[in-house]
Amino acid sequence: MTGDSLDLLNKPSDFRTMLTNRLYYLVKPWIPRSVRMSIRRIPAKRKRKDCAAIWPINERASQQPNNWKGWPERKEFAIVLTHDVEGPGGLEKCRDLAELEMKLGFRSSFNFIPEGNYEVPQELIHWLIENGFEVGVHDLKHDGKLFHSRASFGRLAPRINGHLREWSASGFRSAFMLRNLEWVHDLDIDYDASTFDTDPFEPQPEGAGTIFPFWVSSSATVAGRIRNDRLEGVTARQRGGYVELPYTLPQDSTLFLVLGEKTPAIWLNKLDWIASRGGMALVNVHPDYITFGDRPGRHQYSSALYSDLLQHVVRNHPSRFWNPLAKDLAKWYKSTQRLFQSPVVPSKSPARFSGMRALVLLYSTYPADPRPRRAAEALVQNGMEVEVICLKKAESEPSEELVNGVRVKRLPFQHQRGGKLGYLKQYASFLAATFVLSTWRALRRRYALIHVHNMPDALVFSAAAPKLLGAKVLLDLHDPMPELMRTIFGMDELSLPVRLLKRVEKWSLRFADSVVTVNRACKTIFSKRSCPSEKITVIMNSPDESIFCAKRPVVEDPAPQLPTKPFVIMYHGSIVERHGLDLAVKALSQLRKFIPEAELRIYGTPTVFLHRILDTIRRSDLEQAVRYFGPKNLNEIVAAIGECDVGIVPNRKSIFTELNTPTRIFEYLSQAKPVIAPRAQGILDYFAPDELFYFTLGDADDLAAQLLKVASDKALTTATIAKGQSVYWDHMWSNERNRFIDLVGNALGEERIPQLQSIPEPV
């Protein structure tokens, strides 16, 4: 690891930031803590909004390092608990905090300031170590001056080393997360914990950009000169390196005191995200700010919030996590991972698309439409400035808004269903408006990319002016319009409207510089009739792992038996005739002959077709067995999936449903739920016969038979889920996102850049 590769991680981002930090720490001793917290809150609100794309979760930080070998005992992720004790009040609460953790089966590391405003009792150190905890060194005086200069750090390092020896400590963390990882080689440590994956609220805000530990080798050391078996007892400087452990859950002080959060929801959501990526959840909790039993003061929070985090780990991830002490993780990392593995840290190069602008044209709503949202946010995370022109869903929506770093402009058109002329009128009006607006904007600013989502295909021609001015046009085909319109309106393939749609499709694909679509079946259709296959890239509609945190299937009793509790069938998505909700109701009626407690739960926006279904239900014996919950957001859908026994995709037979690969399949599989899907080409292209439960497209009797099989044979169900999840792992959004970013890079004439070599963190 060279000094150059450490520059962005070690240094403040610019002179102004450095000067501000120096002034802050100069006057800090004379400013009361309450005033300091108030001062920090002022810019924090702005930073939180501006940095929404990279905090609290930076998707790029989830990439596993090269040669990563996984956690011990096949654990899926690690959780490391650390504590920085800043004052006498925190010192008094150390035992209470340790006892809270012991009750829940956890152990942690306590970092003490050796020359601060308190003296650490030897009895406390002995008590912590005897009970399985760790003691580390937290800075020297906690005055912000440790990294003032290279010369002063060199003079202070021997004193820190003396305290490390006195406490038999092997780990270090600096005050205020100020750092220079090259200088830290002067310390006799096994690990340092002075970095983070992403945290724009810190004085030195550049993050390590990873949720994994990494090795920091000295620029003076030639990699490979020192063997693993010679490391025992050798100092960090002598062996040429140490393990860096970035904190990956936000600090408690930032979360509860600066940002004013009242619940641990951000902690819980990010921990689940880290678990789904197999990373390291490392948290820094200060006993100074915790209250036990008492009502929290203005700059304190209840220990119940921290307890909720630990209970969430035990309750939601039993047997999946490893809870080592920080020193044990460092020792394991050195002994089992590649010693001089290249660290995943920011380089001096700019973000991949830094300085570039993209315009997204979307005849839909944003951010409600998940595919455009994920793509736009991926571009923002790679440094591109992204603007979206879309529909205005309701009058209450703002006409302009910044959403996770994406600038959204909503036009006063509403997406309304209607006849052929209604569709044509809506499309033509929106196309004319976007043509004028994109032309006007292109004359005022230069766009590198125009990302157009169908429907309609002709929307791509709104990008004519930006294309003439040098922008590359990417056409994203969500659906093949000829097949969809044939399905909706029952039109013949040789009818004039269908032939015209095919001609417009061909012109549109020819106009675009690159084309992306949702699955192999659609690519085959487009490449056969409209453009060469090499121009088309498949980017699947995978669920967002930060919301659909993956779970493992629960092993059930292998003996086939009917359920003794309500058997819950779930349907969610668009409630239209082609999606076959009426078939699901018929199948439920047959299933209840064998499982009287079976019920169907429906989630989605109400439509005319839904009212027809509900009228049918009211005239039958199923009124108590079918429950309609209305539309739900994605987090609510995740919770609903957790309560169901099986997810269904009960499509009717049509040329469109033959091609479709529903995202719902991946959503159910991510939560370890079995899926019953139609035997259609768009699904068979990805899933083998034993990876899902299949029924004949449009056949309610066969759907009922598969429901009975899922309900009665738990061993088969568990095995099928596990096999289906292997397909889900291959097509997680993190993988599809990287393919999308590479596609954009190729379209812009850029050679592929490794994703983890450019991880900017805005100030």
Side-chain angles (χ1 to χ4, degrees):
M1 184 173 188
T2 66
D4 285 346
S5 64
L6 284 171
D7 279 352
L8 186 58
L9 186 61
N10 292 335
K11 297 179 181 178
S13 55
D14 55 32
F15 178 76
R16 184 178 61 181
T17 302
M18 180 181 68
L19 183 61
T20 301
N21 290 343
R22 288 283 173 86
L23 289 173
Y24 173 77
Y25 292 114
L26 184 65
V27 301
K28 172 187 169 292
W30 292 275
I31 302 176
R33 177 179 291 174
S34 59
V35 177
R36 296 203 309 267
M37 284 295 177
S38 299
I39 293 173
R40 288 189 65 188
R41 289 191 185 106
I42 296 172
K45 292 181 179 180
R46 176 185 59 80
K47 282 189 177 182
R48 182 172 187 174
K49 184 177 180 181
D50 293 345
C51 300
I54 55 98
W55 188 91
I57 291 175
N58 183 347
E59 281 288 348
R60 283 171 292 164
S62 65
Q63 183 70 37
Q64 291 185 350
N66 295 332
N67 303 299
W68 178 250
K69 302 180 187 303
W71 300 106
E73 301 175 5
R74 298 187 178 181
K75 297 295 184 181
E76 296 177 30
F77 71 102
I79 178 164
V80 183
L81 310 177
T82 68
H83 310 297
D84 292 349
V85 183
E86 294 190 349
L91 192 68
E92 293 176 0
K93 300 175 189 174
C94 287
R95 289 201 185 208
D96 291 334
L97 186 54
E99 287 171 353
L100 182 155
E101 292 170 337
M102 284 193 289
K103 288 178 182 178
L104 295 170
F106 291 91
R107 295 297 186 274
S108 62
S109 303
F110 285 81
N111 300 314
F112 297 103
I113 303 170
E115 298 181 16
N117 62 348
Y118 62 85
E119 186 173 342
V120 186
Q122 284 297 320
E123 311 91 84
L124 176 60
I125 292 178
H126 294 323
W127 184 87
L128 287 170
I129 294 174
E130 287 173 0
N131 283 279
F133 292 86
E134 176 188 355
V135 171
V137 171
H138 184 31
D139 206 78
L140 182 63
K141 295 185 177 181
H142 206 278
D143 56 4
K145 299 178 181 179
L146 182 61
F147 291 93
H148 181 77
S149 70
R150 182 67 182 94
S152 65
F153 184 87
R155 288 194 299 270
L156 296 174
R159 285 161 59 181
I160 296 174
N161 288 334
H163 296 298
L164 285 163
R165 288 190 296 272
E166 179 186 356
W167 292 343
S168 299
S170 61
F172 174 80
R173 174 179 282 146
S174 66
F176 312 110
M177 309 309 289
L178 298 174
R179 60 199 175 274
N180 186 304
L181 299 191
E182 183 65 29
W183 300 358
V184 172
H185 286 93
D186 288 2
L187 304 182
D188 294 341
I189 56 172
D190 291 325
Y191 73 89
D192 173 68
S194 304
T195 59
F196 39 83
D197 63 329
T198 176
D199 194 339
F201 306 103
E202 287 299 315
Q204 201 170 321
E206 294 78 11
T210 182
I211 56 173
F212 293 87
F214 57 89
W215 181 259
V216 182
S217 58
S218 171
S219 59
T221 300
V222 179
R225 289 282 182 87
I226 304 176
R227 294 169 44 199
N228 282 350
D229 57 5
R230 292 176 53 196
L231 289 177
E232 198 67 35
V234 182
T235 67
R237 177 165 34 177
Q238 290 170 323
R239 66 173 172 263
Y242 56 87
V243 179
E244 184 64 28
L245 303 179
Y247 70 73
T248 56
L249 296 182
Q251 289 197 55
D252 58 344
S253 53
T254 301
L255 210 57
F256 303 121
L257 307 187
V258 176
L259 299 179
E261 291 291 314
K262 303 301 182 185
T263 73
I266 290 178
W267 265 352
L268 307 188
N269 291 338
K270 185 163 187 183
L271 183 134
D272 289 342
W273 175 79
I274 291 171
S276 71
R277 269 84 172 160
M280 174 184 67
L282 191 151
V283 65
N284 184 14
V285 167
H286 301 75
D288 305 71
Y289 307 135
I290 292 183
T291 59
F292 294 87
D294 301 329
R295 183 176 179 179
R298 185 180 176 189
H299 300 293
Q300 295 178 322
Y301 68 95
S302 171
S303 61
L305 297 178
Y306 181 52
S307 178
D308 286 347
L309 170 66
L310 302 183
Q311 291 182 56
H312 178 84
V313 175
V314 174
R315 182 173 59 251
N316 292 276
H317 304 283
S319 74
R320 295 178 58 198
F321 66 90
W322 179 39
N323 171 225
L325 297 174
K327 66 176 184 179
D328 294 333
L329 191 151
K331 184 176 181 180
W332 162 82
Y333 184 90
K334 290 185 296 181
S335 64
T336 63
Q337 306 298 295
R338 182 179 177 182
L339 180 59
F340 294 108
Q341 178 171 290
S342 299
V344 184
V345 294
S347 70
K348 294 179 69 175
S349 60
R352 184 166 185 178
F353 303 133
S354 178
M356 298 183 183
R357 289 193 182 98
L359 179 63
V360 179
L361 304 180
L362 172 65
Y363 184 76
S364 182
T365 56
Y366 190 98
D369 197 336
R371 183 176 177 89
R373 174 181 57 79
R374 288 195 294 262
E377 290 179 358
L379 293 175
V380 168
Q381 291 161 10
N382 279 269
M384 192 172 282
E385 182 181 327
V386 180
E387 304 167 25
V388 172
I389 300 175
C390 64
L391 299 176
K392 192 172 184 179
K393 183 178 181 181
E395 287 300 321
S396 58
E397 280 192 311
S399 297
E400 296 190 16
E401 186 180 11
L402 184 67
V403 181
N404 289 342
V406 179
R407 300 190 179 278
V408 182
K409 169 70 174 177
R410 298 185 177 95
L411 301 183
F413 298 91
Q414 293 195 8
H415 196 173
Q416 299 172 342
R417 306 277 181 187
K420 300 186 217 39
L421 292 178
Y423 270 96
L424 182 61
K425 181 181 178 181
Q426 292 174 47
Y427 287 155
S429 300
F430 187 75
L431 196 155
T434 52
F435 176 83
V436 172
L437 193 53
S438 62
T439 300
W440 172 248
R441 290 193 174 193
L443 293 173
R444 299 174 61 201
R445 67 195 75 183
R446 181 174 178 178
Y447 291 107
L449 178 73
I450 311 296
H451 189 181
V452 183
H453 296 264
N454 91 327
M455 302 180 299
D457 298 340
L459 185 59
V460 74
F461 297 116
S462 294
K467 182 177 174 71
L468 286 173
L469 293 171
K472 298 297 182 182
V473 177
L474 174 62
L475 177 57
D476 199 325
L477 298 168
H478 298 203
D479 300 303
M481 281 196 70
E483 283 71 22
L484 183 58
M485 293 304 168
R486 284 178 61 189
T487 300
I488 294 174
F489 298 114
M491 294 186 289
D492 185 83
E493 184 176 8
L494 299 178
S495 65
L496 179 61
V498 172
R499 286 188 286 126
L500 181 59
L501 287 172
K502 290 181 179 178
R503 181 60 60 89
V504 172
E505 175 188 283
K506 192 167 189 174
W507 292 339
S508 300
L509 270 67
R510 184 179 298 173
F511 179 83
D513 295 291
S514 297
V515 178
V516 62
T517 193
V518 295
N519 64 16
R520 296 170 192 162
C522 288
K523 179 176 179 177
T524 299
I525 289 275
F526 296 132
S527 61
K528 281 184 177 180
R529 73 182 178 207
S530 294
C531 83
S533 62
E534 57 268 20
K535 190 176 180 178
I536 306 172
T537 302
V538 172
I539 306 294
M540 295 193 71
N541 285 326
S542 304
D544 188 340
E545 299 105 298
S546 65
I547 299 173
F548 290 85
C549 301
K551 297 181 179 178
R552 296 288 185 181
V554 178
V555 179
E556 302 276 359
D557 185 346
Q561 56 185 347
L562 292 177
T564 57
K565 60 181 181 65
F567 180 68
V568 178
I569 307 161
M570 179 174 170
Y571 171 91
H572 73 286
S574 300
I575 304 177
V576 292
E577 188 170 5
R578 64 181 178 274
H579 288 173
L581 187 56
D582 56 334
L583 298 179
V585 173
K586 292 178 183 177
L588 174 68
S589 179
Q590 297 184 42
L591 180 66
R592 282 173 64 86
K593 297 174 184 177
F594 304 94
I595 308 175
E597 298 298 317
E599 64 177 62
L600 172 64
R601 297 181 182 178
I602 303 168
Y603 301 83
T605 303
T607 61
V608 173
F609 181 68
L610 173 66
H611 293 310
R612 283 166 41 195
I613 296 297
L614 295 179
D615 286 341
T616 301
I617 291 168
R618 279 189 282 268
R619 294 193 299 268
S620 67
D621 299 340
L622 298 175
E623 195 165 3
Q624 301 301 316
V626 180
R627 302 172 63 188
Y628 171 60
F629 291 87
K632 301 292 181 183
N633 62 40
L634 290 179
N635 289 311
E636 292 170 327
I637 289 296
V638 172
I641 292 175
E643 296 173 358
C644 81
D645 293 292
V646 60
I648 58 172
V649 184
N651 287 352
R652 283 183 164 277
K653 185 175 178 62
S654 71
I655 189 169
F656 178 76
T657 54
E658 284 277 7
L659 300 172
N660 195 22
T661 310
T663 310
R664 288 169 286 162
I665 295 176
F666 294 106
E667 291 172 349
Y668 290 126
L669 287 173
S670 74
Q671 303 304 294
K673 298 295 182 179
V675 186
I676 302 178
R679 197 175 287 105
Q681 191 60 51
I683 299 173
L684 293 170
D685 280 342
Y686 294 94
F687 292 93
D690 60 346
E691 293 171 340
L692 298 176
F693 290 90
Y694 287 100
F695 75 100
T696 302
L697 195 61
D699 189 335
D701 294 338
D702 197 10
L703 176 57
Q706 296 303 314
L707 284 167
L708 183 60
K709 183 185 293 185
V710 170
S712 59
D713 196 335
K714 296 298 184 183
L716 175 62
T717 298
T718 301
T720 304
I721 294 170
K723 293 175 182 177
Q725 280 193 323
S726 65
V727 181
Y728 165 71
W729 303 130
D730 291 339
H731 296 284
M732 295 171 68
W733 171 241
S734 54
N735 296 329
E736 299 299 315
R737 181 195 63 225
N738 288 340
R739 279 192 280 272
F740 171 71
I741 292 301
D742 286 339
L743 167 67
V744 171
N746 291 334
L748 298 178
E750 172 207 63
E751 292 186 6
R752 188 180 188 280
I753 302 173
Q755 294 285 319
L756 291 173
Q757 298 306 309
S758 176
I759 305 179
E761 300 290 347
V763 180

